[in-house]
Amino acid sequence: MTARSIDKRTDNILIGAGEVYLDIHEGGAATGERYLGDAVGAELEVATEETTVFSGSGPVARELTRIARSVTRTVRLTLHDISLENLALFTVGEVKRLDAADHVSGEAAVLRPGRWYQLGGADRPAGVLRLAAPADKAAAIAAVTVATTAQAPVTATQAIAAGQFGNAASETEQKGQYVVDYARARIFWLPPDHALYEAKAGVEAGTALAVDYTPDDAPRDQVQGAFRQLIGAFRYIEDAAEGQGRNIYAPRCSIQPAGGLTLLDGRSSEQQIRLAVSMLEPGGGQPALYIDGQAA
């Protein structure tokens, strides 16, 4: 007679699926759980270490006992949602709010033929996102003005997008010393051998410049790299595809990046953020891990 026929056991064959949450603590206090978005993977790893005690007498040491000395529990997460908040977790950074960008006068730059320059300056080291789109060629020339520090003007070509202001040669091929990419707020310093380059006395490689422009940046959030210990609570709410699932909760964890974030791989797969959530003792004699049932 088999065990199955005796105890009438029903096996719980489980195909896991669910939601993952983190509650990042501030000053040791909870701030509320944030759903991390679609997660392609969540794996609970448990490892123990032990000390083996051998006998000290006799020609061959004999194993006397084994004493457990440590246990570690880690959840490894793989996230699909490349949100700023998740990127801040991965980069051990913070999400900061930026105000709308104002008109900029006299931003320092250096003429380096054949190189790109990102507008933004010291106030926006990562750069402004874009410039106000000019309505015509005349507005385009006036939208970004560049002068040497001696106030000699440096002439510009029209917008970098071919044909933006018409098809005639006089409308699209004005010569100068730089072109402007308004959609990305970038300047390209034309090299002397470029078809649109026009020489100007006293303006050459290394010339110090002052740039005036008007950004078209609304208020936005930005991740800024920092170094801080991320402590928080972890929760997994199972929504099993098959079987009776279990919820998991860890009240105090250390959150760290795990692995790399592939930015570019030939379009073969989506970007994924990987995190390691290591469970810590919460104190007060409380358990470090809870695996709970679900309401029927």
Side-chain angles (χ1 to χ4, degrees):
M1 182 176 292
T2 66
R4 183 178 297 277
S5 63
I6 294 175
D7 64 15
K8 305 300 183 182
R9 179 179 178 80
T10 301
D11 294 328
N12 184 34
I13 307 302
L14 184 64
I15 298 178
E19 301 169 354
V20 289
Y21 296 80
L22 284 178
D23 182 348
I24 302 301
H25 295 172
E26 293 182 1
T31 60
E33 297 177 359
R34 183 176 70 82
Y35 172 51
L36 299 184
D38 187 58
V40 67
E43 181 179 358
L44 174 61
E45 298 178 355
V46 181
T48 61
E49 291 185 357
E50 57 186 11
T51 298
T52 303
V53 181
F54 293 93
S55 65
S57 60
V60 178
R62 292 166 290 116
E63 184 177 318
L64 298 180
T65 187
R66 295 191 179 198
I67 303 173
R69 64 179 182 180
S70 69
V71 58
T72 59
R73 305 177 183 93
T74 303
V75 176
R76 299 195 179 276
L77 302 176
T78 304
L79 309 178
H80 273 160
D81 186 7
I82 312 299
S83 65
L84 288 181
E85 292 80 5
N86 287 347
L87 284 170
L89 291 175
F90 179 76
T91 59
V92 198
E94 296 180 284
V95 179
K96 297 287 189 179
R97 186 68 170 173
L98 297 183
D99 295 330
D102 296 325
H103 177 78
V104 176
S105 298
E107 181 174 308
V110 176
L111 181 63
R112 301 192 186 279
R115 303 291 182 87
W116 287 91
Y117 174 75
Q118 179 70 52
L119 294 168
D123 290 339
R124 270 177 160 73
V128 297
L129 295 184
R130 63 183 178 182
L131 303 177
D136 52 37
K137 186 179 70 172
I141 296 171
V144 177
T145 59
V146 180
T148 69
T149 53
Q151 298 307 305
V154 180
T155 57
T157 63
Q158 56 90 35
I160 197 171
Q164 181 171 346
F165 304 120
N167 295 322
S170 60
E171 294 178 336
T172 61
E173 294 184 358
Q174 178 197 4
K175 291 188 175 183
Q177 291 181 295
Y178 62 92
V179 292
V180 180
D181 183 347
Y182 298 93
R184 299 180 178 181
R186 291 167 66 80
I187 292 177
F188 180 64
W189 308 118
L190 295 171
D193 60 352
H194 195 283
L196 296 180
Y197 177 81
E198 184 177 74
K200 182 171 180 59
V203 182
E204 57 190 14
T207 300
L209 304 172
V211 187
D212 297 352
Y213 60 93
T214 301
D216 188 22
D217 282 8
R220 73 178 192 272
D221 292 331
Q222 180 184 73
V223 174
Q224 297 182 2
F227 183 78
R228 59 184 182 133
Q229 179 71 40
L230 292 178
I231 301 295
F234 168 79
R235 187 182 301 276
Y236 171 65
I237 299 178
E238 196 147 50
D239 184 14
E242 176 68 27
Q244 176 62 48
R246 300 286 188 268
N247 297 335
I248 294 177
Y249 178 69
R252 185 169 179 264
C253 302
S254 172
I255 299 101
Q256 297 178 328
L261 172 61
T262 301
L263 301 177
L264 180 66
D265 69 347
R267 301 183 182 88
S268 63
S269 62
E270 79 284 2
Q271 291 185 0
Q272 297 179 351
I273 288 175
R274 296 175 177 85
L275 301 174
V277 180
S278 301
M279 300 177 189
L280 308 174
E281 283 297 312
Q286 297 299 311
L289 170 66
Y290 298 85
I291 299 179
D292 213 351
Q294 293 184 330

